[in-house]
Amino acid sequence: MTNPQSGGQAHIVQLLSTRQDAALDRWTELAGATLRGRTTQTELRGELRELLSLTLASLEREDDTARSELRAVLADMSGRRARQNFTPKETAVAVFTLKQVVHELIEDADEDQAINEFVAFSRYVDDLGLLTFETYAATREQVIADQAEQLLELSTPVVKLWEGIVAVPLVGTLDSARTQVVMEALLQTLVDTGSESAVIDITGVPAVDTEVAQHLMKTIMAARLMGAECVISGIRPQIAQTIVALGIEFGDIVSKATLADALEYLLSRNGVRIVREVVG
Amino acid sequence: MERVPILKVGDVLLISIQTDLEDRTALALQEDLAEQIVRTGARGVVIDITAVEIVDSFIGRMFATIAAMSRLLDARTVVVGMRPAVAITLVELGLSLGGVHTALNLEKGMRLLAAPDPGGPPGTMSGR
Amino acid sequence: MSDVHEVRVGSSDDIVGIRKMVRTIAGDIRMSLVDQTKLVTAASELARNIVVHGGGGTVRIERLTGPTGRTGVRMIFSDEGPGISDVDLALTDGWSSGQGLGLGLPGSRRLVDEFELDTAVGRGTRITVTKWTR
């Protein structure tokens, strides 16, 4: 009985081994055609040479070490392509073109036995192709997750309004995770800048749920424990309704209509008065 | 047993907590402090917890006890330098530091003590 | 390094050691600083609970890997003390049988993701808590 994955392909292995250079040339040419010059021929050839010799080793010896090494190298290559924004097709084509290379070799050599083996070989290559898809997809998922995190960091600026007064203008939908990140960043900024006052401006927030409202509350209480004061500004009518309807106790937290009002309030608490100069 | 040093700076007693306090050390600190306030006639106590990584209910209660005790001995207490992670945890724990003044850092704490006493215990520092 | 640690808690002097151990494990699995602080604080509260109410006991700390590859820490606090007669009351904020603040159990529950209390009068108390990395 033959191993359906790799066994019984002695003639193809033989063919590939004896004509390795020619096969590699043709493979590089075929695989490189779709890559629009994003990988140099030398680089690609190097990658494919490694793949080819590992493929031969795993077909020839049928040992697990060679097979897992082949899979590792292939996974590594697919991951790298995914990160470099290659399309899935561009990634997989490097593997699938090996079929054409072998097919051409068989036709050239006019080997009947090798033709019989081609079905098994083709299945073997399909298997490797699937692996590249899998790795590609997993890597892209990771890239997306990383980007989401970076976006989170970008979308949570803490800005200085005045000496000792900072503000976080929140824009967009607040979920629990984002609120937590912003609030931790706010508290850290209070420490880093020695600011005793902060404004949390939620003008740009369309709605809040219980959890988010509670995170905001807890942050304000944590700031107090640290010796700083937070003021909320820009609560929309709908959010005010939510907060009351949910029965969330806002206690003695200061809330102002606009960011400007909040700033004015905090300035006056710090003993700063704003006066319009009358000219003429 | 380790003892936390109490430094005298003008008429303020400064306690800088640098290690993870054992319960016994915390209790000893309370006693030492009461004695020192009376002996030196200090008008303020600053507890610097910049280096403290966790405050559980036991340590939190120590702050409240020190503050209440100091008030009886006519001194005000300020806890300074609480880390954000510690503050967030205390809020979640539900710990109230009622009666304890807090400030962001040592400098602001000292300034708070130098300002005239607004009178009465602080009302805004409760944890919940 | 073994993934399970078991330590005896006899007196309040042992609590600092437990805090340190939990901090190390939480750091190893790259838990966020805030979550580490919450976990260590919960450990401190529950270990003190063993000392004050259980007359000593054990703490078992283990690293977890969830089905999705998420990592976490599980801590089991056991004592052979008098047990808790009214569990609901013990989990109410501000209620205390000792001279504490009554925040130990309800407060710790808020600091972790999973909290399980197993107790019977006269047969001791076992509290199992779990916190996952975010």
Side-chain angles (χ1 to χ4, degrees):
Chain A
M1 204 188 111
T2 55
N3 182 331
Q5 277 227 322
S6 53
Q9 293 164 45
H11 291 91
I12 286 183
V13 170
Q14 172 75 30
L15 208 53
L16 265 177
S17 308
T18 47
R19 307 202 44 200
Q20 230 178 93
D21 278 340
L24 193 57
D25 284 343
R26 182 65 179 139
W27 196 9
T28 311
E29 187 187 335
L30 287 170
T34 54
L35 294 184
R36 295 173 309 204
R38 276 196 288 185
T39 311
T40 63
Q41 291 286 310
T42 332
E43 205 180 332
L44 182 63
R45 200 184 152 93
E47 283 177 343
L48 296 181
R49 177 185 291 118
E50 192 179 9
L51 282 182
L52 186 59
S53 73
L54 284 168
T55 306
L56 280 171
S58 85
L59 283 175
E60 216 165 20
R61 296 201 303 270
E62 291 185 31
D63 71 81
D64 285 341
T65 330
R67 203 172 311 157
S68 58
E69 195 179 343
L70 170 61
R71 296 181 78 89
V73 168
L74 203 51
D76 189 52
M77 191 180 105
S78 315
R80 206 164 48 236
R81 300 243 152 122
R83 264 188 292 277
Q84 289 166 345
N85 290 322
F86 281 62
T87 65
K89 185 183 165 192
E90 286 164 347
T91 307
V93 86
V95 173
F96 287 128
T97 44
L98 180 59
K99 280 195 206 178
Q100 196 182 336
V101 173
V102 170
H103 196 254
E104 287 172 8
L105 277 179
I106 295 172
E107 285 196 321
D108 274 1
D110 202 15
E111 273 230 45
D112 284 347
Q113 279 144 314
I115 291 178
N116 295 334
E117 289 170 9
F118 190 71
V119 175
F121 178 76
S122 171
R123 202 157 46 210
Y124 180 77
V125 173
D126 286 348
D127 227 36
L128 296 178
L130 282 179
L131 177 73
T132 68
F133 270 126
E134 235 168 67
T135 322
Y136 182 90
T139 311
R140 294 302 285 189
E141 291 282 338
Q142 188 57 48
V143 168
I144 291 168
D146 289 349
Q147 283 173 347
E149 202 171 307
Q150 285 165 7
L151 206 61
L152 197 66
E153 281 164 20
L154 281 178
S155 65
T156 55
V158 183
V159 293
K160 179 175 169 181
L161 291 185
W162 199 268
E163 191 58 47
I165 304 176
V166 295
V168 239
L170 295 174
V171 178
T173 311
L174 283 181
D175 61 15
S176 180
R178 186 178 161 212
T179 313
Q180 231 161 320
V181 170
V182 185
M183 295 300 126
E184 285 173 29
L186 171 62
L187 295 179
Q188 192 56 51
T189 307
L190 295 178
V191 176
D192 295 344
T193 61
S195 303
E196 289 173 305
S197 306
V199 186
I200 301 174
D201 182 67
I202 58 170
T203 311
V205 178
V208 297
D209 60 16
T210 323
E211 219 177 334
V212 169
Q214 260 157 4
H215 277 313
L216 292 176
M217 291 283 307
K218 285 174 184 170
T219 306
I220 295 171
M221 292 193 286
R224 280 184 186 169
L225 280 177
M226 293 165 56
E229 182 192 18
C230 287
V231 173
I232 289 197
S233 67
I235 295 186
R236 294 189 183 198
Q238 303 96 301
I239 295 182
Q241 276 183 22
T242 312
I243 289 172
V244 174
L246 292 171
I248 297 164
E249 207 42 79
F250 250 61
D252 51 358
I253 288 166
V254 177
S255 171
K256 293 286 164 192
T258 64
L259 183 55
D261 292 341
L263 178 60
E264 196 183 347
Y265 165 81
L266 289 172
L267 282 175
S268 73
R269 297 229 346 167
N270 283 294
V272 180
R273 225 157 48 90
I274 300 172
V275 181
R276 193 186 296 275
E277 211 170 303
V278 182
V279 183
Chain B
M1 184 188 67
E2 235 182 312
R3 286 188 112 84
V4 180
I6 301 173
L7 304 175
K8 187 172 177 298
V9 182
D11 57 0
V12 170
L13 294 180
L14 174 62
I15 303 159
S16 178
I17 301 176
Q18 296 293 331
T19 56
D20 195 357
L21 286 189
E22 276 190 19
D23 292 7
R24 285 192 294 160
T25 314
L27 293 173
L29 174 61
Q30 275 171 228
E31 282 172 31
D32 290 352
L33 186 63
E35 218 170 277
Q36 292 266 344
I37 294 173
V38 174
R39 204 163 56 77
T40 60
R43 302 300 306 271
V45 175
V46 174
I47 308 176
D48 183 2
I49 58 167
T50 310
V52 172
E53 289 180 335
I54 89 141
V55 172
D56 65 358
S57 62
F58 186 84
I59 302 293
R61 189 160 45 139
M62 177 187 83
F63 296 153
T65 308
I66 287 178
M69 196 180 67
S70 311
R71 205 158 42 238
L72 288 174
L73 300 171
D74 199 20
R76 282 192 292 161
T77 304
V78 187
V79 171
V80 304
M82 187 185 291
R83 298 184 178 192
V86 170
I88 291 170
T89 302
L90 282 181
V91 170
E92 207 72 62
L93 191 61
L95 192 69
S96 150
L97 288 187
V100 183
H101 287 282
T102 52
L104 280 178
N105 52 42
L106 184 56
E107 194 188 330
K108 290 184 197 297
M110 294 299 258
R111 211 184 301 150
L112 188 73
L113 286 178
D117 191 343
T124 54
M125 301 301 164
S126 74
R128 290 179 73 78
Chain C
M1 199 190 79
S2 153
D3 274 2
V4 180
H5 305 260
E6 189 155 334
V7 267
R8 166 113 205 120
V9 193
S11 75
S12 61
D13 292 352
D14 300 326
I15 298 174
V16 170
I18 287 167
R19 288 205 287 253
K20 198 167 290 169
M21 188 182 285
V22 175
R23 165 83 62 190
T24 308
I25 294 169
D28 281 350
I29 63 165
R30 302 170 61 114
M31 202 174 254
S32 78
L33 185 61
V34 172
D35 283 341
Q36 277 188 39
T37 309
K38 286 181 179 176
L39 185 71
V40 174
T41 307
S44 188
E45 297 294 330
L46 295 172
R48 183 168 286 104
N49 198 59
I50 288 183
V51 173
V52 176
H53 302 288
T58 55
V59 182
R60 191 184 149 94
I61 306 163
E62 53 189 296
R63 276 163 71 153
L64 299 180
T65 306
T68 54
R70 208 155 60 129
T71 50
V73 177
R74 171 169 296 153
M75 309 189 288
I76 303 171
F77 300 81
S78 331
D79 66 58
E80 281 88 51
I84 300 169
S85 56
D86 190 336
V87 172
D88 287 341
L89 193 59
L91 288 174
T92 306
D93 266 323
W95 187 85
S96 171
S97 63
Q99 83 281 59
L101 295 169
L103 292 170
L105 296 191
S108 309
R109 178 150 80 162
R110 283 190 293 267
L111 294 177
V112 296
D113 296 323
E114 292 159 31
F115 183 100
E116 200 181 298
L117 176 63
D118 184 10
T119 182
V121 174
R123 276 191 288 137
T125 302
R126 194 177 72 213
I127 297 173
T128 307
V129 300
T130 309
K131 195 167 185 68
W132 298 99
T133 52
R134 266 188 264 149

